[in-house]
Amino acid sequence: MSFNLQSSKKLFIFLGKSLFTLLEAVIFALLPKQQKNVAGEIVLITGAGSGLGRLLALQFARRGSVLVLWDVNKEGNEETCKMAQEAGVTRVHAYTCDCSQKEEVYRVADQVKKEVGDVSILINNAGIVTGKNFLDCPDELMEKSFDVNFKAHLWTYKAFLPAMIANDHGHLVCISSSAGLVGVNGLADYCASKFAAFGLAESVFVETFVQNQKGIKTTIVCPFFIKTGMFEGCTTVCPSLLPILEPEYAAEKIVEAILQEKMYFYMPKFLYFMMFLKSFLPLKTVLLIGDYLDIFHAMDGFLERKKKL
């Protein structure tokens, strides 16, 4: 009898909390959640020397954050540092770091802790793309994709998460991709690395939840192609549903999602609908949709970068 009462009580508590969370989600969908203040927060951005990483740095510079910029390209990183200063940032630190090298990540991380302090917002943005079919992609390029797009997240988490836990304050941001949600023709190694990054971020979030570390936030970002040069030559036949994103717009919306502490953020919003359809439609129907949207040939015109920008 007591067992049945306990089970019934647990069920009613579960239903009540579930209803509350659903109502909360509806309210925040209609009335956007207030953005948190990041002035004075130490924000580390990998891949800050160009593209999306640079634009994210400028967004946080305008909000008064302390910037820590990492990139393998020293010249590009120093240019971002200069631009951040012009945008009004008072403290910005640029470090040359090859995020694909574990020992280098740990070494530079220790340097950051000594010279700047505890990182409170970690944005794993650095990424590379080979754009080759699976059997045409050399092993060393595949390994590099995983080293930069996924393994770097392991090492930066290991380096900076302990202080976040000790302070019960921190935010882990994973820049994944729409290619971290669905397989894409011509992006096998890239998709695999972005799926892995997504899975790591989600798993670490679950760990912090189970350990009741409520001060540690997570945001996983999955954008479609962004016009940063990384996916030069890629196309979309349905720009109204799957537009190739303008870099400044993408950076602004990503920062908004971080400041609103959204767990998942997909761009454009049509990706949410696509993932919903993928979850229950027959495979043949999903493939027909992909064929209609010409997603299978989006990489056909891909132009490999000849040099790092």
Side-chain angles (χ1 to χ4, degrees), residues 3 27 35 59 88 91-92 99 126 138 181 196 210 230 233 235 299:
F3 175 77
I27 291 170
Q35 297 184 12
Q59 286 284 334
R91 292 180 60 196
V92 56
C99 292
L181 300 171
V210 171
M230 188 173 182
T235 58
M299 289 290 295

Side-chain angles (χ1 to χ4, degrees), residues 16 26 38 52 58-59 63 75 90 100-101 113 131 156 163 172 182 204 212 221 259 275 282 288 292 296:
V26 171
V38 290
L52 181 62
L58 295 178
Q59 286 284 334
R63 289 168 169 81
E75 183 179 344
T90 55
S100 70
Q101 302 298 315
K113 294 172 193 176
T156 56
L172 302 168
V182 295
V204 172
N212 201 32
V221 181
L259 300 186
M275 296 309 299
L288 282 171
Y292 174 74
F296 302 138

Side-chain angles (χ1 to χ4, degrees), residues 128-129 149 176-177 179 187-195 230-231:
I128 61 170
V129 59
N149 299 348
S176 182
S177 169
L187 284 177
D189 59 314
Y190 184 80
C191 286
S193 66
K194 290 297 186 177
F195 267 85
M230 188 173 182
F231 286 97

